[in-house]
Amino acid sequence: MKFEVLMPSLSPTMETGTLTKWLVAAGDSVSIGDLVAEIETDKSTMEVDAQEDGTVLELLVAEGSENIPINTPIAILEIDGDEMSIPASPPPEVVTEAPPKTSEVITEAAPKTPEVITEAAPPPKVEQPHGVSETLRTDVRTALRDAMAEEMRRDEMVFLMGEEVAEYQGAYKISQGLLEEFGERRVVDTPITEHGFTGLGVGAAFAGLRPIVEFMTFNFAMQAMDQMINSAAKTLYMSGGQMGCPIVFRGPNGAAARVAAQHSQDYAAWYSHIPGLKVIQPFSAADAKGLLKSAIRDDNPVIFLENEILYSHESDVPIDEDFTVPIGKARIWQQGNDVTLVSFGIGMSHTLRAAEMLRDIGIDAEIIDLRTLRPMDTATVIESVKKTNRCVTIEEGWPVCSIGNYVSSVIMQEAFDWLDAPVINCTGKDVPMPYAANLEKLALISPNDIVEAVRSVTYR
Amino acid sequence: MAAQRRRRTQKPTKDELLGYYKSMLLIRRFEEKAGQLYGMGHIGGFCHLYIGQEAVVTGLEAVAIKGDKRITAYRDHGHMLACGMHPNGVMAELTGRQGGYSCGKGGSMHMFSKERHFYGGHGIVGAQVPIGAGLAFADKYLQTDNITFTYFGDGAANQGQIYETFNMASLWKLPVIFVIENNQYAMGTSTERASSTPEFHTRGAAFEIPSEMVDGMDVVAVKEAGERAAKHCRGGGGPYILELLTYRYRGHSMSDPAKYRSREEVQKVRGEQDPIDMVRVRLLALKSVNEDDIKKIDKDIRALVNSAADFAKASPEPDVKELYTDVYR
């Protein structure tokens, strides 16, 4: 009987993959555990094992095929045992190659509901290049890598350190190729000791180097919080201006998909509380690149919050090596008259989707991407609210002491008389992130939440 | 890589001894004055005095060369004076005045001097240790001949980040001397009550870091050990651990009644092992130094400290505009 081999899901956020190489040919016989194909995901290249004993009847996709959605049949086996039927998706068991050395994130090749991903991250549609003529369609991952590479070429003092940044090429492939170009002096693999290596990075910055410290995810940076806040953020002040700390802390932040409470948290509000830190959370690839370059050139400690789900998302990125985006400037994504939507990072995905739904019901939203959370460009928000008279904020983090709370307070103080409705803060639900797919979906913000909030503030 | 305890072998010159004496006495008199000013309300907050431990920084500063870095925790006044920072600036920081090293915004625990390569002055127990390794990382990155003296106490020696740092420093052969100032009490808890293995120098063995235990009350022994450690680090051998056995005469901070040890214990150390007395005796044993020479030094140092206190009281409070400066650069 025939058995379909399906494109497996090999990471929590994988939507599609590239079949880089077939390791079997039609007519070959295979046993369970034999390697059949090499697949490149958004994070790494992995080998896929046979799940049944049998003979390869047909390879359905050619080597090098890109963007194959998970659960697409990629080969057909003739297998023994006529009691078995062709399985429905997902395949009963996806056995992956030996897990990477350190990352729990990567080894958890959890099956996931595709709806979560598609809903959480629609491709941006209103992206505009920044007035620079030549652009290249680039994903966030590559934009970040290019930003680091360009700045490392520009300034010998810049170096990258973190877990798996060098030989492994980055747990999320952000540092791919950097070891090869810059060598182990400037691309430094660290032990899994966030507290220690963060302090070490701070010391290197005090001494005049410009470290980029990658956290595999910001969830792990809680181990290093003391060094980031007490040492990096406060020392300039405590030294009467003598001791600068030019350092960038970067890595994925917020929920990925189905990695549960300890690996799904948005730290935007946490770091934004701290004087002495600058905090950036970009959405588009162009902003990711331009702002990371600005962060590396900045003489202050900068928290640079990325998002795993956005890594594969593309936009037009200026190719000019001098292209930067200023820290502390919001961006108006879409002009509108009826309501101001204020968001940042992954929240922008939900916001853009909601804006389309609002257009369908005749509501014309103005959309502001804060991009930098500290220092925050509240002037742009105030100006917009004076025009629309209504505001909804959108973020993935928790509701208590959120970024939206702060935006609301500034609006109250500076534009109270212009408001025609209370400001509503759309946030993640006030619970640790659940694992179950249905509960996780409920815990995250959705475009529907935003639409409901907008209907409420516009009384429609 | 077993730790060793060695006897000193060198015979210091008169000038060396005079240098040690002046440095240690300056720290002692400065700290006594700081204690007085605290009692009079001129100094606020926490104030941790270094009295009794003067030989540690004095001996180690004797082996530092230009460009070497040093970093410590919050019992830091002695380290600053020993590396050449001016008593006026240190004392004015204690009083929270514009003339202080941090313009009055850091206080006793948070002072820095880029010029003297003094990197603080850190208020969180143990946090200065990975930072110190980072300073050494920069020297290795920039291929200088410099090393970093990273000081911490027996209390900090139980912090997890110390061992994360030992691991990286040894792995990457960083030019850093970890100086464990074992004054036998982590605030009010004796080492026996807080540490499963109170011989802290042995803790580098797991990371193959060579180490020594040294009599931290004998400045000459400290300097000799420092020479061995510095030679190892400058030669590319990686980190080195020195455990200095020392003692603080005063409480943990000004508000510590020191009920955890007896007055007799303190008096015994003062009477038998005082680092300054020890050098004074050695100086006087030299035919070329007499009581009058010693008195002259004492007088000069008192004058220096008194003038620092006057400066610290006269220096204005920081301008209110300073509230918002130096948050970002």
Side-chain angles (χ1 to χ4, degrees):
Chain A
M1 62 166 296
K2 292 190 173 68
F3 177 88
E4 281 183 339
V5 179
L6 304 178
M7 185 70 170
S9 168
L10 298 171
S11 88
T13 52
M14 176 181 170
E15 295 172 56
T16 64
T18 299
L19 200 148
T20 47
K21 196 172 179 187
W22 279 113
L23 301 173
V24 293
D28 288 356
S29 61
V30 294
S31 309
I32 293 176
D34 285 353
L35 302 180
V36 297
E38 216 176 71
I39 287 170
E40 191 181 329
T41 73
D42 55 342
K43 285 193 213 158
S44 55
T45 302
M46 295 176 142
E47 287 157 338
V48 176
D49 301 3
Q51 305 137 35
E52 296 288 341
D53 294 333
T55 306
V56 179
L57 276 186
E58 192 185 354
L59 303 181
L60 299 174
V61 299
E63 272 189 1
S65 302
E66 294 179 4
N67 299 322
I68 307 165
I70 59 169
N71 292 334
T72 305
I74 54 174
I76 296 176
L77 298 186
E78 178 72 36
I79 61 169
D80 313 326
D82 49 12
E83 76 281 4
M84 293 187 69
S85 58
I86 293 174
S89 62
E93 193 153 13
V94 177
V95 183
T96 63
E97 176 55 355
K101 282 170 280 183
T102 59
S103 162
E104 310 93 297
V105 173
I106 292 178
T107 54
E108 289 160 10
K112 58 170 177 24
T113 47
E115 310 91 77
V116 173
I117 300 302
T118 49
E119 188 158 298
K125 289 189 177 162
V126 288
E127 177 88 355
Q128 300 293 330
H130 294 236
V132 181
S133 52
E134 246 190 305
T135 62
L136 188 67
R137 201 80 189 152
T138 311
D139 61 16
V140 171
R141 170 180 286 106
T142 310
L144 294 170
R145 195 268 313 275
D146 290 351
M148 290 194 287
E150 287 171 17
E151 293 307 302
M152 288 174 77
R153 279 177 215 129
R154 183 176 168 272
D155 184 351
E156 173 85 8
M157 295 296 104
V158 178
F159 73 99
L160 173 66
M161 63 186 292
E163 294 156 7
E164 308 292 5
V165 297
E167 295 199 4
Y168 195 90
Q169 306 291 322
Y172 294 90
K173 288 206 291 196
I174 308 299
S175 56
Q176 194 154 38
L178 296 185
L179 175 65
E180 192 182 32
E181 179 174 353
F182 298 102
E184 59 183 21
R185 172 170 167 262
R186 300 183 66 195
V187 184
V188 183
D189 275 329
T190 65
I192 310 176
T193 52
E194 284 82 6
H195 196 180
F197 74 67
T198 300
L200 194 147
V202 170
F206 285 167
L209 304 188
R210 306 182 79 87
I212 305 168
V213 174
E214 175 174 312
F215 291 117
M216 193 178 287
T217 85
F218 263 92
N219 299 289
F220 311 149
M222 280 214 275
Q223 301 247 15
M225 212 56 140
D226 175 65
Q227 291 290 1
M228 299 166 80
I229 292 166
N230 270 321
S231 302
K234 297 180 183 172
T235 300
L236 181 69
Y237 194 81
M238 295 194 301
S239 65
Q242 288 184 76
M243 306 287 307
C245 190
I247 192 168
V248 176
F249 300 106
R250 50 152 291 271
N253 164 72
R258 305 295 311 283
V259 292
Q262 291 181 335
H263 287 69
S264 308
Q265 187 167 336
D266 177 12
Y267 289 91
W270 288 55
Y271 292 109
S272 296
H273 192 60
I274 311 298
L277 294 180
K278 293 187 178 181
V279 184
I280 295 169
Q281 191 165 338
F283 170 55
S284 76
D287 286 341
K289 182 175 182 191
L291 281 163
L292 182 54
K293 285 166 69 79
S294 293
I296 295 167
R297 295 182 191 185
D298 200 278
D299 286 332
N300 300 285
V302 180
I303 308 288
F304 196 89
L305 302 168
E306 301 160 9
N307 186 287
E308 188 187 336
I309 292 166
L310 294 179
Y311 277 152
S312 301
H313 285 248
E314 296 182 342
S315 67
D316 293 328
V317 177
I319 55 173
D320 181 0
E321 291 214 349
D322 287 329
F323 162 72
T324 58
V325 173
I327 294 172
K329 294 294 285 180
R331 173 176 178 188
I332 300 174
W333 271 74
Q334 176 179 302
Q335 305 267 0
N337 290 310
D338 296 335
V339 62
T340 300
L341 304 181
V342 180
S343 190
F344 53 92
I346 187 85
M348 283 295 297
S349 292
H350 310 298
T351 304
L352 293 174
R353 183 171 289 268
E356 285 174 29
M357 295 158 70
L358 291 168
R359 192 177 302 132
D360 293 343
I361 56 172
I363 297 176
D364 178 24
E366 178 143 310
I367 301 174
I368 296 175
D369 178 0
L370 289 173
R371 304 194 290 193
T372 301
L373 303 174
R374 177 184 261 274
M376 190 187 286
D377 182 5
T378 51
T380 295
V381 176
I382 294 298
E383 201 182 329
S384 173
V385 168
K386 285 182 176 175
K387 179 174 71 173
T388 64
N389 312 113
R390 299 150 208 279
C391 182
V392 171
T393 68
I394 299 99
E395 70 196 287
E396 188 182 272
W398 287 311
V400 180
C401 304
S402 65
I403 296 291
N405 290 171
Y406 176 69
V407 172
S408 307
S409 92
V410 173
I411 293 171
M412 265 211 292
Q413 289 171 65
E414 298 184 20
F416 186 77
D417 290 339
W418 280 267
L419 282 177
D420 285 345
V423 178
I424 293 183
N425 301 143
C426 285
T427 66
K429 305 302 182 295
D430 201 12
V431 295
M433 188 64 71
Y435 169 71
N438 64 329
L439 298 182
E440 181 187 59
K441 194 176 168 191
L442 287 171
L444 290 163
I445 40 166
S446 73
N448 282 332
D449 295 341
I450 302 166
V451 170
E452 280 311 302
V454 170
R455 293 179 80 120
S456 166
V457 301
T458 54
Y459 309 111
R460 295 204 224 179
Chain B
M1 209 74 71
Q4 310 152 42
R5 194 171 189 175
R6 305 196 201 189
R7 300 213 62 80
R8 62 184 143 80
T9 54
Q10 296 173 6
K11 196 167 162 49
T13 65
K14 173 188 155 190
D15 284 348
E16 281 177 307
L17 285 173
L18 280 172
Y20 300 151
Y21 184 72
K22 287 176 187 169
S23 170
M24 291 194 291
L25 196 65
L26 172 62
I27 296 170
R28 177 76 52 99
R29 295 287 172 262
F30 182 96
E31 293 291 63
E32 288 165 355
K33 180 62 74 178
Q36 280 174 25
L37 293 182
Y38 192 95
M40 294 160 72
H42 293 293
I43 297 173
F46 295 126
C47 185
H48 309 86
L49 302 182
Y50 197 61
I51 295 173
Q53 301 181 213
E54 297 91 344
V56 175
V57 283
T58 301
L60 291 175
E61 281 296 336
V63 303
I65 63 170
K66 193 169 187 305
D68 282 354
K69 302 175 176 63
R70 59 282 284 168
I71 186 168
T72 187
Y74 42 78
R75 195 178 306 286
D76 55 355
H77 312 159
H79 301 71
M80 292 186 276
L81 297 172
C83 74
M85 289 167 67
H86 201 284
N88 286 8
V90 180
M91 197 69 93
E93 190 61 39
L94 298 186
T95 54
R97 304 303 174 92
Q98 183 72 49
Y101 268 98
S102 300
C103 305
K105 289 152 79 168
S108 165
M109 299 186 287
H110 317 107
M111 257 183 272
F112 305 81
S113 169
K114 200 133 203 189
E115 186 196 347
R116 291 285 167 183
H117 303 285
F118 180 74
Y119 287 83
H122 293 266
I124 305 296
V125 172
Q128 78 278 17
V129 179
I131 297 173
L135 298 170
F137 180 94
D139 276 316
K140 183 161 191 218
Y141 188 95
L142 299 170
Q143 298 172 335
T144 74
D145 192 32
N146 286 117
I147 62 177
T148 298
F149 296 86
T150 298
Y151 294 86
F152 56 102
D154 48 275
N158 289 324
Q159 282 271 14
Q161 59 185 316
I162 307 302
Y163 300 95
E164 299 186 15
T165 305
F166 281 2
N167 181 46
M168 288 183 286
S170 182
L171 185 69
W172 298 334
K173 294 272 179 284
L174 301 181
V176 54
I177 304 178
F178 295 110
V179 184
I180 306 174
E181 297 193 66
N182 181 356
N183 67 17
Q184 303 169 44
Y185 293 92
M187 196 168 155
T189 305
S190 65
T191 51
E192 289 74 18
R193 294 204 301 122
S195 303
S196 60
T197 53
E199 296 212 334
F200 298 101
H201 59 277
T202 63
R203 296 188 181 182
F207 305 92
E208 298 196 331
I209 302 175
S211 64
E212 291 184 41
M213 185 155 70
V214 185
D215 179 356
M217 304 302 272
D218 179 350
V219 68
V220 180
V222 174
K223 187 246 182 181
E224 284 185 17
E227 276 178 340
R228 288 189 290 274
K231 189 176 170 203
H232 175 87
C233 292
R234 279 191 228 286
Y240 202 94
I241 294 173
L242 294 177
E243 178 182 0
L244 288 306
L245 295 179
T246 184
Y247 199 80
R248 76 170 142 73
Y249 298 173
R250 306 290 284 263
H252 167 73
S253 66
M254 297 305 295
S255 50
D256 171 14
K259 292 271 168 56
Y260 44 84
R261 62 185 186 188
S262 67
R263 188 170 287 273
E264 291 70 34
E265 178 185 305
V266 181
Q267 288 308 330
K268 188 169 156 51
V269 179
R270 286 188 96 121
E272 296 173 5
Q273 289 180 267
D274 187 77
I276 298 175
D277 287 350
M278 228 186 286
V279 173
R280 187 189 291 114
V281 167
R282 294 177 73 141
L283 274 170
L284 290 171
L286 301 172
K287 295 285 179 290
S288 54
V289 177
N290 61 35
E291 288 280 358
D292 286 344
D293 297 329
I294 295 290
K295 276 185 187 155
K296 165 91 169 57
I297 293 170
D298 293 3
K299 198 174 155 222
D300 289 349
I301 283 177
R302 268 184 206 284
L304 184 61
V305 167
N306 284 335
S307 113
D310 292 343
F311 176 82
K313 285 187 279 188
S315 178
E317 290 192 309
D319 191 292
V320 291
K321 278 184 260 168
E322 292 286 348
L323 179 62
Y324 289 107
T325 60
D326 306 324
V327 180
Y328 297 98
R329 63 160 39 156

